[in-house]
Amino acid sequence: MRLVHWIGAALAAVVTCVAVVQVARSASGGPPVPASCPQRWGGEGIGGWVPAAADIDGADESLVPGSPVRALICAYPGDNTHPGGERLAGTRTLADQAGAMARDLGYLPVTDTPRGGPCTLMGGPMTNYLIRFAYPDGRALWVGSAQEVNSCVTTTNGTVGSRSYVGPGITAAYRTGVWKPTRSDDPCSGSAGRRGQDERMVPEGAVSVVVCGQISYPERPPRREYGEQVARELATALNSLGTRPSDNMCQRGEGTDDREFRLMFGYRDGPPADVRISAGCTPGIDNDLLQADLDDSVRDRVARLAPPP
């Protein structure tokens, strides 16, 4: 048997990027959330650190719960080959944009123990970020994240974390003062994920699905789009399978089915839910947080919906 990484053969060199979320004591039993940017990045890695965890209702379920009214972005540029201890290089305060930024970050899928995934080995510049969200009652919450060339980042509020990559959006907000999450124009590429995918393969409420075929660079992968009925039937089938926490890997035997598909479930509001199917792998279904074995019923259903090769 040979080990197959979910990111595919296009990435020849990979290394497991272990995300260690470093946090101070909770606000209820430790120091309050600082009111200004720390002068140095206190973590030892790329993202995954905040100076203090906040005692905010919902912080164990969402990166940014509630409705903050202000966001202070702190930037710590450095190099991804020697991360940790970067000096504060500048700040940006968002007022009108803070609510939208909090809402979009709050949609990201989270767990209390974010797992590492395969990362490319390219060295280069990176910027660690802290974002201080201030609430009308005077409380605050930190979010730590980063932008780096491998997109191998953990974003955390000190209680839960996400592997969804939002670095380019934070960088744009820091530079321009406008929050606009960066998403690919092609629904079959780019990173995705939706809150709730730590509990079920496809969260409730899907109204569409794009079935993407094998990626063949530089060509766009073939795809077929379906409406609400197909999306919900497919989601029900996927959610009926037994799941377990994902290690973002599978095992493939020689001579097995090498078809791979990506299912992008759309919603009326918020980001899509991303599910990957690898027909000849065990386990054959993965959404970055959960994985499941691919049974014949789901395999045949996806094959019927898939675009021609």
Side-chain angles (χ1 to χ4, degrees), residues 29 34 65 135 167 180 184 206:
Y135 291 79
K180 184 177 181 181
S184 173

Side-chain angles (χ1 to χ4, degrees), residues 61 76 90 98 102 132 170 172 180 187 190-191 199 233 261 271 299 302:
E61 299 176 350
Y76 303 86
R132 185 184 190 273
I170 298 174
K180 184 177 181 181
S191 60
E199 297 178 347
E233 290 174 352
F261 307 100
R299 180 187 290 105
V302 172

Side-chain angles (χ1 to χ4, degrees), residues 168-187:
I170 298 174
T171 294
Y174 170 69
R175 290 176 177 172
T176 68
V178 176
W179 167 254
K180 184 177 181 181
T182 303
R183 296 189 180 123
S184 173
D185 293 334
D186 182 357

Side-chain angles (χ1 to χ4, degrees), residues 20 22 40-51 83-86 128 130:
V20 179
Q22 307 172 33
R40 281 186 178 274
W41 176 260
E44 297 179 354
I46 302 169
W49 175 81
V50 293
E86 292 81 12
N128 280 315
L130 288 173

Side-chain angles (χ1 to χ4, degrees), residues 8-197:
L11 299 178
V14 297
V15 62
T16 299
C17 179
V18 179
V20 179
V21 178
Q22 307 172 33
V23 299
R25 291 171 292 166
S26 67
S28 59
V33 174
S36 60
C37 298
Q39 291 303 301
R40 281 186 178 274
W41 176 260
E44 297 179 354
I46 302 169
W49 175 81
V50 293
D55 189 17
I56 300 287
D57 290 342
D60 58 344
E61 299 176 350
S62 171
L63 280 175
V64 190
S67 301
V69 294
R70 191 173 298 274
L72 171 66
I73 304 175
C74 319
Y76 303 86
D79 189 283
N80 67 1
T81 59
H82 299 91
E86 292 81 12
R87 290 182 178 274
L88 177 67
T91 66
R92 168 79 73 169
T93 299
L94 308 183
D96 295 342
Q97 300 286 313
M101 188 179 197
R103 171 183 169 278
D104 288 332
L105 293 180
Y107 264 122
L108 298 182
V110 296
T111 64
D112 55 0
T113 55
R115 290 172 172 261
C119 304
T120 56
L121 293 174
M122 290 182 288
M126 61 101 197
T127 300
N128 280 315
Y129 289 106
L130 288 173
I131 309 166
R132 185 184 190 273
F133 289 96
Y135 291 79
D137 61 3
R139 294 183 300 166
L141 173 145
W142 284 107
V143 169
S145 190
Q147 179 175 15
E148 72 103 31
V149 66
N150 302 295
S151 305
C152 197
V153 173
T154 293
T155 299
T156 184
N157 64 10
T159 302
V160 293
S162 177
R163 294 286 298 164
S164 294
Y165 183 53
V166 292
I170 298 174
T171 294
Y174 170 69
R175 290 176 177 172
T176 68
V178 176
W179 167 254
K180 184 177 181 181
T182 303
R183 296 189 180 123
S184 173
D185 293 334
D186 182 357
C188 292
S189 64
S191 60
R194 185 177 178 89
R195 188 177 64 220
Q197 288 195 272

Side-chain angles (χ1 to χ4, degrees), residues 258-308:
D258 63 355
R259 291 176 300 168
E260 294 186 358
F261 307 100
R262 192 174 188 182
L263 312 178
M264 304 294 285
F265 290 87
Y267 295 78
R268 289 191 173 89
D269 191 29
D274 181 4
V275 178
R276 286 157 293 161
I277 306 291
S278 186
C281 262
T282 303
I285 306 175
D286 198 292
N287 73 0
D288 274 341
L289 296 175
L290 299 175
Q291 58 188 20
D293 293 328
L294 181 63
D295 66 13
D296 290 340
S297 174
V298 173
R299 180 187 290 105
D300 292 344
R301 184 188 294 266
V302 172
R304 289 196 302 270
L305 297 173

